[in-house]
Amino acid sequence: MAPSPAGAENVAALPTFEVEYTLYAKNTKAARIIRSLERLDENIYEYRSETKTVGLVSLFKKVHIVETSNLMVQDHLLQPVLYSYKRTGDRKKRDVSIEFDWRGRKIKNTINGDFWHMPIEPAVMDKLLYQLAIMYDLQNGHTPDTYLIADGGGIKTYRFERLGEETVETPLGSFNTIKMLRHKPGSSRRSVFWCAPELNFLQVQVEHTEKDGSRTVAVIKSLQGELHLSADDAD
């Protein structure tokens, strides 16, 4: 099946925002996550995610991760231009960049100074941008089932399934949400996203389960910006 389109009719005015999450591991506060969407030019945006360990976890493991996805709005799609990932603070230091050359039809991957090229695929995204694309696909009445992702030096297919609706309690209050599952056939690794229609389908809770069964849950703590109750929900 063809990859899902991201964005749609109203992509010319993507709402900017900044959201903070608390990440829990084994029911303990493990990290603080701040994500933001900033408009840099008429149709150029930067989607940014910053994660820092906090509390008791930070006494033993100081990790700082910054991801950014520069994107443009092109032909009613959210199209990546440059993705970067930097991890510092522990032995797993990592510096990654992925450049999307749409005219040259190629992708340049750079990991810790080493680089190589690979062919670009239509509608491909990076591993941060797809989480923004979920919002805008749902906002425009499309439930995503697949996205193509440039990750790990290759193109991967992320598969999605809508699990229904569920009410989620958060420090910002109670939200009725659309529950989305990302999974890989034959793998126990999975991610679940709870997307709130009244916040333009922003994820108010995200749960990741690894192959070994370990689980983390990110819960929204605060929100600033242009996300708001849609006109349809307000009626």
Side-chain angles (χ1 to χ4, degrees):
M1 184 173 293
S4 305
E9 304 300 330
N10 300 319
V11 291
L14 302 182
T16 59
F17 61 87
E18 180 176 291
V19 57
E20 180 178 344
Y21 298 91
T22 301
L23 183 71
Y24 296 89
K26 298 180 180 180
N27 297 318
T28 300
K29 288 184 180 180
R32 176 188 185 211
I33 303 171
I34 296 179
R35 288 195 171 172
S36 60
L37 180 65
E38 179 184 0
R39 191 172 187 173
L40 303 181
D41 203 344
E42 183 177 355
N43 70 331
I44 300 293
Y45 295 81
E46 181 176 88
Y47 188 41
R48 187 177 191 273
S49 177
E50 181 176 10
T51 303
K52 283 185 177 181
T53 49
V54 297
L56 292 176
V57 174
S58 66
L59 297 178
F60 305 97
K61 190 175 184 180
K62 294 185 181 296
V63 177
H64 184 199
I65 298 172
V66 177
E67 284 182 278
T68 61
S69 177
N70 285 5
L71 62 133
M72 60 182 176
V73 182
Q74 184 71 28
D75 297 329
H76 304 295
L77 297 175
L78 305 186
Q79 196 172 75
V81 177
L82 175 65
Y83 167 81
S84 68
Y85 174 99
K86 296 182 185 296
R87 176 176 176 139
T88 57
D90 64 359
R91 295 180 179 178
K92 296 181 181 179
K93 291 183 179 180
R94 192 170 177 84
D95 191 342
V96 176
S97 71
I98 303 176
E99 299 174 49
F100 296 83
D101 181 356
W102 293 97
R103 290 186 177 180
R105 309 303 301 168
K106 62 183 179 180
I107 296 173
K108 181 181 178 181
N109 295 272
T110 305
I111 299 180
N112 295 334
D114 297 324
F115 70 90
W116 66 97
H117 294 89
M118 63 185 185
I120 207 164
E121 296 281 351
V124 71
M125 285 185 285
D126 61 63
K127 61 188 299 185
L128 179 62
L129 180 56
Y130 88 87
Q131 297 182 57
L132 183 66
I134 292 173
M135 290 176 57
Y136 295 104
D137 271 345
L138 290 174
Q139 185 181 349
N140 289 282
H142 176 76
T143 301
D145 53 13
T146 60
Y147 290 120
L148 290 182
I149 307 296
D151 179 26
I155 304 294
K156 299 180 179 179
T157 300
Y158 285 14
R159 302 186 184 279
F160 290 83
E161 179 182 344
R162 180 168 172 160
L163 299 181
E165 300 181 6
E166 188 172 308
T167 301
V168 175
E169 299 292 338
T170 78
L172 283 186
S174 177
F175 293 95
N176 294 320
T177 67
I178 304 298
K179 190 175 180 182
M180 298 292 299
L181 168 69
R182 178 172 76 84
H183 64 96
K184 181 180 179 181
S187 174
S188 57
R189 179 180 291 170
R190 52 186 275 158
S191 299
V192 181
F193 304 86
W194 285 263
C195 306
E198 65 186 276
L199 298 177
N200 295 51
F201 293 93
L202 176 73
Q203 294 104 30
V204 295
Q205 182 170 289
V206 181
E207 177 184 278
H208 294 295
T209 304
E210 294 295 330
K211 292 180 180 179
D212 61 4
S214 61
R215 186 179 65 170
T216 59
V217 180
V219 181
I220 191 171
K221 179 181 178 182
S222 65
L223 174 64
Q224 298 178 358
E226 300 173 352
L227 301 182
H228 55 77
L229 188 69
S230 71
D232 290 341
D233 291 330
D235 290 340

